[in-house]
Amino acid sequence: DVGAVRVLKLLGIERWQLGQNDQAIALLKQVIDIRTQSLGPNHVETLKAAEDLGLVLQKQGKVSEALALFEHVRDGRRTQLGAEHPSTLNVMHNIALTYRDNLQYDLAIPMLEKVRDARKVHFGPNHPTTITTESVLAAAYLGNNQMTQALPLLEKVYAARVASHGPENPATLITGNDLASAYRILGRNDEAISMFTKVRAAQTAAL
């Protein structure tokens, strides 16, 4: 029953949002099993359920399980929609984010650059999805000590997020903190102190 499967999926997502990850995983696995049997493993709805489960597993640090699901979704979407379709790019972003969180910068950075470039073409350089990928890419550059690439991208993302979300938004604060760290690493101490001070003030205002 389509309605029953939709309810299972919504319950799974709700449990995830509440931090009840084990319950979320069990529910989302049920959804995948039902949709695989009724629609096939590469149906768009089956792939979306697999991506949802991959996100939960990613947050739990279950890297290999998350990557296996994301890669299955990527391959299915490439076949059905094309390599640069927005939905394919979404799951490629998630794969690259998983690599970055696992400190596999050699795998994360080229994929993030590819997704960033494709999103620029599809959506424009200042679209939220482009900025989101650029923020992950900038953090990957920073983590990999590629400061020449990291600094200008962090400055761009920080300015874009201040303009779109305001200085007190959590995403803005994360980028501001990364930008301050980049200034410090490069020995630009006055700019580092100024940015750290700005971030702390915004954090205090957000409380």
Side-chain angles (χ1 to χ4, degrees), residues 148-165:
T148 302
Q149 294 94 337
L151 183 61
L153 198 54
L154 286 167
E155 290 175 330
K156 178 195 171 184
V157 171
Y158 181 74
R161 285 186 160 166
V162 169
S164 61
H165 300 302

Side-chain angles (χ1 to χ4, degrees), residues 171-192:
T172 309
L173 293 173
I174 290 169
T175 302
N177 196 63
D178 285 347
L179 178 55
S181 295
Y183 286 138
R184 178 182 55 78
I185 291 167
L186 289 167
R188 294 165 60 169
N189 294 324
D190 289 344
E191 290 164 289

Side-chain angles (χ1 to χ4, degrees), residues 87-107:
S87 295
T88 309
L89 296 175
N90 285 346
V91 74
M92 287 176 63
H93 174 95
N94 290 330
I95 292 170
L97 179 59
T98 306
Y99 285 142
R100 190 211 66 177
D101 289 348
N102 203 42
L103 307 183
Q104 294 175 275
Y105 297 118
D106 57 325
L107 297 174

Side-chain angles (χ1 to χ4, degrees), residues 40-106:
N42 293 313
H43 188 276
V44 61
E45 293 294 339
T46 310
L47 294 176
K48 183 65 178 75
E51 184 176 28
D52 290 338
L53 177 56
L55 289 168
V56 178
L57 293 168
Q58 179 196 59
K59 295 298 182 185
Q60 281 200 307
K62 296 183 178 180
V63 174
S64 60
E65 294 175 66
L67 283 173
L69 286 165
F70 288 148
E71 288 168 355
H72 170 67
V73 174
R74 176 201 59 196
D75 293 345
R77 286 178 175 167
R78 274 180 177 171
T79 300
Q80 295 177 22
L81 304 171
E84 296 196 349
H85 187 277
S87 295
T88 309
L89 296 175
N90 285 346
V91 74
M92 287 176 63
H93 174 95
N94 290 330
I95 292 170
L97 179 59
T98 306
Y99 285 142
R100 190 211 66 177
D101 289 348
N102 203 42
L103 307 183
Q104 294 175 275
Y105 297 118
D106 57 325

